[in-house]
Amino acid sequence: MYANVVARVRHTPARLEDLIRGLSAERLTHRDGNKWSIQEQAGHLLDLEELGMNRLDDFEAGRAALTAADMSNEKTHAANHNANSLDNILRAFRRERMAFVARLDSYNEEFIARTALHPRLKQKIRVIDLIFFIAEHDDHHLARIAELKRQLA
């Protein structure tokens, strides 16, 4: 299963690019009230790459607990992704995600079975569980982008 979940996170940048290719800046940055735009959804995926890397650091260091996520998403709210260029966001996301996947590709079976406490779930998870969690989070935001794209068509 490890190869399957790694493939999911490996291909998120391409799936994201395919999903939003050709959309106008107006559609990309349109907000419905306080809800994130398509471009902000993409920026949020980029913003969370640091957390994923930090959590791999936690596993590598043998820490008992993983780095906590900022559930307020302050980084995304403060980033003003709509003022950035989509190309910058996509390029940075692809670069960061490929660095993350390169680390995943280097792990052996013993390492991917390591456990640490997930701070919000209050239970131990394995490296493979973390990757599955990230893949599910990616899919959630890709689905939200697809929904926004349909609404703005």
Side-chain angles (χ1 to χ4, degrees), residues 15-72:
R15 292 169 57 211
L16 175 62
E17 291 162 7
D18 286 346
L19 188 59
I20 60 181
R21 182 178 292 121
L23 294 179
S24 68
E26 180 181 0
R27 286 178 70 193
L28 288 166
T29 60
H30 175 80
R31 293 189 96 201
D32 181 14
N34 290 331
K35 296 180 181 176
W36 289 339
S37 68
I38 291 172
Q39 191 158 305
E40 288 167 321
Q41 295 280 341
H44 175 68
L45 291 174
L46 169 60
D47 294 337
L48 287 183
E49 287 303 292
E50 180 180 17
L51 177 63
M53 290 294 227
N54 289 342
R55 287 180 170 178
L56 291 183
D57 292 343
D58 295 337
F59 278 115
E60 289 175 6
R63 294 187 185 102
L66 299 174
T67 301
D70 172 15
M71 298 308 293
S72 70

Side-chain angles (χ1 to χ4, degrees), residues 15 23 25 30 33 40 73 87 97 127 133-134:
R15 292 169 57 211
L23 294 179
H30 175 80
E40 288 167 321
N73 292 310
D87 286 342
R97 181 54 65 91
V127 174
F133 198 85
I134 291 169

Side-chain angles (χ1 to χ4, degrees), residues 34-137:
N34 290 331
K35 296 180 181 176
W36 289 339
S37 68
I38 291 172
Q39 191 158 305
E40 288 167 321
Q41 295 280 341
H44 175 68
L45 291 174
L46 169 60
D47 294 337
L48 287 183
E49 287 303 292
E50 180 180 17
L51 177 63
M53 290 294 227
N54 289 342
R55 287 180 170 178
L56 291 183
D57 292 343
D58 295 337
F59 278 115
E60 289 175 6
R63 294 187 185 102
L66 299 174
T67 301
D70 172 15
M71 298 308 293
S72 70
N73 292 310
E74 184 57 35
K75 187 172 184 178
T76 301
H77 292 294
N80 194 16
H81 289 298
N82 280 343
N84 198 349
S85 82
L86 180 63
D87 286 342
N88 286 342
I89 293 168
L90 294 176
R91 202 171 16 257
F93 179 56
R94 180 175 284 279
R95 181 183 63 246
E96 295 297 318
R97 181 54 65 91
M98 291 306 105
F100 181 76
V101 169
R103 287 176 71 178
L104 298 178
D105 287 342
S106 74
Y107 297 147
N108 62 28
E109 286 188 36
E110 179 185 331
F111 183 84
I112 64 173
R114 283 188 184 184
T115 63
L117 183 71
H118 187 285
R120 183 173 55 82
L121 301 176
K122 303 289 188 221
Q123 67 183 33
K124 286 190 173 187
I125 66 169
R126 301 166 298 170
V127 174
I128 190 171
D129 300 320
L130 171 67
I131 308 314
F132 180 77
F133 198 85
I134 291 169
E136 289 293 301
H137 180 265

